[in-house]
């Protein structure tokens, strides 16, 4: 079973009148982020999606456990091919002190990044670092990709629906 995504701030924060609609915020001003989180045993955590238009993305995972980095649902640990094409980029995988995936080029189609702890017998503490070389189209300041306009009426309706279902 897949868990919900983690919050990873690559692109700063959403400005006034916007809300965070994505686990990852992407901008041209801030091009890296680090986050530490836990993944339960037997779980696959869908961490985030690399958006189309992102350039030269590098994802690095460090963990003392058996957690594995998945890029488009292909494990670096299990992969027989260190390089493959996906989403318009070359995906290069390396395993050393940390697992690493480098997406060379411009991402044409979004690419899922997940953390796999299905083989783990205990909770995995994971350190994740993400860097990128920019975006094809830079969003305006205060509105990184992943921020959406805040609509108070829509928010009230969603909260009311959620509360009545509980």
């Amino acid at each position: 079973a897949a868990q919900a995504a983690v919050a990873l701030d690559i692109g700063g924060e959403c400005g006034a009148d916007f809300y965070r609609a994505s686990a990852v915020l992407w901008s041209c001003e801030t091009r890296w982020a680090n986050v530490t989180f836990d993944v339960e045993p037997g779980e696959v955590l869908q961490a985030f999606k690399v958006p189309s238009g992102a350039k030269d993305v590098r994802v690095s995972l460090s963990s003392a456990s058996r957690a594995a980095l998945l890029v488009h649902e292909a494990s670096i640990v299990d992969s027989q091919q260190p390089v493959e094409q996906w989403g318009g980029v070359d995906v290069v995988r390396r395993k050393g002190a940390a697992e690493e995936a480098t997406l060379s080029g411009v991402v044409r189609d979004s690419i899922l990044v997940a953390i796999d702890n299905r083989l783990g017998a205990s909770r995995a503490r994971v350190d994740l670092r993400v860097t990128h070389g920019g975006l094809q189209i830079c969003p305006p300041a205060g509105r990184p990709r992943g921020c959406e306009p805040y609509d108070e009426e829509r928010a009230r309706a969603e909260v009311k629906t959620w509360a009545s279902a509980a």
Side-chain angles (χ1 to χ4, degrees):
Q3 291 183 351
V6 298
L8 185 62
D9 291 322
I10 293 177
E13 298 179 358
C14 298
D17 299 322
F18 291 90
Y19 74 98
R20 183 187 194 117
S22 173
V24 180
L25 303 180
W26 297 81
S27 76
C28 293
E29 292 81 32
T30 306
R31 297 184 180 193
W32 64 272
N34 294 318
V35 66
T36 300
F37 55 92
D38 294 328
V39 182
E40 296 300 320
E43 295 292 330
V44 175
L45 178 88
Q46 294 181 3
F48 62 93
K49 285 189 177 181
V50 177
S52 61
K55 301 175 191 173
D56 300 327
V57 178
R58 176 175 285 166
V59 181
S60 176
L61 174 135
S62 299
S63 178
S65 69
R66 297 182 69 180
L69 182 62
L70 302 177
V71 178
H72 175 60
E73 315 228 359
S75 173
I76 291 174
V77 174
D78 298 333
S79 177
Q80 299 300 313
Q81 298 180 348
V83 180
E84 65 179 292
Q85 276 277 324
W86 183 256
V89 296
D90 288 329
V91 179
V92 180
R93 300 180 169 97
R94 281 193 294 266
K95 179 132 175 96
E99 285 189 63
E100 190 173 281
T102 302
L103 286 59
S104 299
V106 177
V107 176
R108 185 180 59 236
D109 302 313
S110 66
I111 297 175
L112 175 66
V113 175
I115 311 303
D116 184 351
N117 194 28
R118 287 178 288 191
L119 298 178
S122 61
R123 178 180 293 154
R125 172 60 47 113
V126 171
D127 295 312
L128 192 67
R129 178 173 175 80
V130 179
T131 62
H132 70 89
L135 302 171
Q136 273 189 318
I137 299 173
C138 294
R143 188 169 176 210
R145 286 180 76 175
C147 295
E148 295 295 331
Y150 178 72
D151 179 336
E152 187 172 346
E153 290 303 315
R154 182 175 169 202
R156 284 183 202 271
E158 287 184 21
V159 169
K160 187 174 180 180
T161 300
W162 174 80
S164 65

